[in-house]
Amino acid sequence: MSGPSLARPFTGVVVHGDGKGRTIGYPTANLIVEPASADEEQPPHGVYATTAEVARKAQDGEERKTETFPAMTFVGRKSASLGNDKNVLVESYLFDFDGDLYGQTMTVSFKHFIREDQKVDSFAELLELLKSDEDKSRALLGLPPAPPKSD
């Protein structure tokens, strides 16, 4: 899929978002990324097919464990929820993942540009767009279609 050039990976600690994604079947791992310096490439705001590498904290003296998950990622600003419109929010929905990532270090690598950020007028339109984004991301990452979401 053609689009803007893909940016450097983003690394940060997973923080709490507003929790809306979880309520609609698309829970996200959220990173807050400082504004890019003049010499760093910043991706255009939008949706990407990505991979998310999670470095899980060691438990009881074990080695730190790193896992990589296919994902779709939104890059943009959400000043109302963050209280600071200068930071970029990186929200990743890790496919087929169920777990708690808060406080874990995650690196998001951009593989394919899906679409620019766009405004939606209804909840139904948002869900349709997210499903389309997921289908496109999974296909570009060589994954099977998503299983049906449960209500």
Side-chain angles (χ1 to χ4, degrees):
M1 179 167 277
S2 64
S5 63
L6 301 179
R8 64 175 171 81
F10 284 148
T11 299
V13 174
V14 177
V15 298
H16 289 272
D18 57 19
K20 289 180 184 174
R22 184 170 307 286
T23 66
I24 62 171
Y26 288 93
T28 58
N30 303 291
L31 303 179
I32 298 174
V33 179
E34 296 296 323
S37 65
D39 60 343
E40 289 181 317
E41 186 178 352
Q42 185 83 19
H45 293 181
V47 178
Y48 296 82
T50 60
T51 57
E53 183 178 283
V54 180
R56 296 195 180 246
K57 291 180 181 174
Q59 300 292 323
D60 301 325
E62 295 175 14
E63 279 189 45
R64 191 175 189 105
K65 182 179 179 183
T66 301
E67 297 176 90
T68 302
F69 300 93
M72 70 178 186
T73 299
F74 167 77
V75 176
R77 291 193 178 8
K78 290 202 173 185
S79 59
S81 62
L82 296 176
N84 181 346
D85 65 2
K86 292 183 180 169
N87 288 329
V88 172
L89 179 64
V90 177
E91 290 184 299
S92 295
Y93 171 59
L94 282 59
F95 299 141
D96 310 318
F97 175 83
D98 184 24
D100 182 357
L101 295 175
Y102 298 121
Q104 307 297 321
T105 299
M106 185 170 82
T107 299
V108 176
S109 297
F110 297 88
K111 304 301 181 185
H112 304 277
F113 179 76
I114 303 298
R115 65 170 174 84
E116 293 179 350
D117 189 12
Q118 66 186 73
K119 186 179 191 282
V120 295
D121 295 321
S122 70
F123 181 73
E125 186 180 351
L126 173 62
L127 286 178
E128 187 176 305
L129 194 56
L130 288 171
K131 175 68 173 132
S132 174
D133 294 341
E134 181 178 7
D135 290 345
K136 289 174 186 172
S137 294
R138 283 178 173 274
L140 287 166
L141 295 171
L143 300 173
K149 299 256 184 234
S150 58
D151 295 332

